[in-house]
Amino acid sequence: MTEQNQKGTALVTGASSGIGAVYAERLARRGYDLLLVARDQQRLEKLAASLSADYGVQVEVLKADLTQKPDIKAVVQRLRGDSTISVLVNNAGVAMNGPLIEADSDAVDRMLELNITALTHLAAAAGANFVAAGGGAIINIASVVALAPEMFNATYSATKAYVLSLTQSLSSELGKSGVQVQAVLPGVTRTEIWERAGIDANGIPAAMVMDAGEMVDAALAGFDQGELVTIPSLPDAADWSAFVAARQKLGPNLSHSQAAARYKA
Ligand SMILES: NC(=O)c1ccc[n+]([C@@H]2O[C@H](COP(=O)([O-])OP(=O)(O)OC[C@H]3O[C@@H](n4cnc5c(N)ncnc54)[C@H](OP(=O)(O)O)[C@@H]3O)[C@@H](O)[C@H]2O)c1
């Protein structure tokens, strides 16, 4: 058996550009075969050809629009039925510009379908496959706006808070199944996402913007360290631990038979 076969196949959604394309390259370099998913077949095929030439891995392209139920279903079926898949990078996502009350409702629907619905069904299918196999990994790309909802527009931030919450719950559900789960919370990263959303990223201070290569390398370092949540730019990991501890301190008091004294007349 070759090394690639032992590592299995990594399915990367949104692999045609930005963060997903970098994940594809890094995972090929690690010896994974690849299954690249996005809408732009031409771009995927170009990337596939270059990665298989550079790293000698098998790279397959699966064209899918993950806002469309039949396409989500096709990727889900592949994840459920293909036991060579050992990693899912749930990366495909879009942002939106402007406040919720001015948002185009069809565009909101498409974003919810991609950032939430597709990501959820793919994680479920991969999780079922990996539990049966006794191992595998699910990497969900969230965003720092999950922790700072006032920083960006409401709908996008809320989709990313969902991704963080889903990943934390999923990790707890999967327990000791041997399946590794990670949420990655990038800050502003230099990709096409801004232009696609009609946002001028030139106004963002350069000191806040990370290259996609640096971001993915940090995220994979966090993955190798077994982190559940990775925030690539956060200098002090103790700040995240303190945030988690503050949340956990609420735990014992979140459900009682009596309302708190301050709510009683
Ligand atoms: N860049 C940032 O500052 C930043 C920060 C935090 C989190 N993120 C997250 O990182 C992830 C990747 O984004 P990126 O920054 O790398 O942006 P990007 O360069 O625009 O890449 C987005 C990817 O998603 C795919 N995609 C878009 N709509 C799709 C659809 N309907 N069906 C299937 N695939 C679709 C695109 O491919 P096709 O067009 O070929 O379909 C593309 O490959 C997203 O989840 C984003 O929310 C980005």
Side-chain angles (χ1 to χ4, degrees), residues 174-262:
L174 292 178
K176 295 190 185 356
S177 64
V179 181
Q180 186 177 352
V181 182
Q182 181 195 27
V184 177
L185 277 59
V188 181
T189 310
R190 205 166 277 113
T191 71
E192 292 170 20
I193 198 168
W194 302 97
E195 201 185 328
R196 287 184 196 234
I199 299 165
D200 181 9
N202 292 323
I204 303 169
M208 288 180 70
V209 186
M210 194 180 284
D211 279 336
E214 173 131 358
M215 201 294 288
V216 173
D217 286 336
L220 284 169
F223 178 80
D224 293 339
Q225 290 164 31
E227 283 186 347
L228 169 59
V229 176
T230 298
I231 306 173
S233 68
L234 189 72
D236 190 352
D239 288 345
W240 171 250
S241 304
F243 181 82
V244 172
R247 180 172 71 80
Q248 284 169 343
K249 184 169 177 284
L250 294 172
N253 288 314
L254 291 176
S255 184
H256 290 309
S257 59
Q258 299 288 313
R262 68 185 176 287

Side-chain angles (χ1 to χ4, degrees), residues 13-21 37-41 43-44 64-68 90-95 110 114-115 119 141-145 156 159-160 184-194 196 209 212 215:
T13 67
S16 61
S17 70
I19 292 166
V37 178
R39 292 166 305 178
D40 189 330
Q41 184 152 5
R43 271 180 118 176
L44 289 177
D65 180 343
L66 296 174
T67 64
Q68 302 300 311
N90 239 335
N91 164 77
V94 288
R110 285 195 298 275
L114 180 63
N115 294 13
L119 178 134
I141 307 301
S143 163
V144 289
V145 296
Y156 177 74
T159 68
K160 294 303 179 177
V184 177
L185 277 59
V188 181
T189 310
R190 205 166 277 113
T191 71
E192 292 170 20
I193 198 168
W194 302 97
R196 287 184 196 234
V209 186
M215 201 294 288

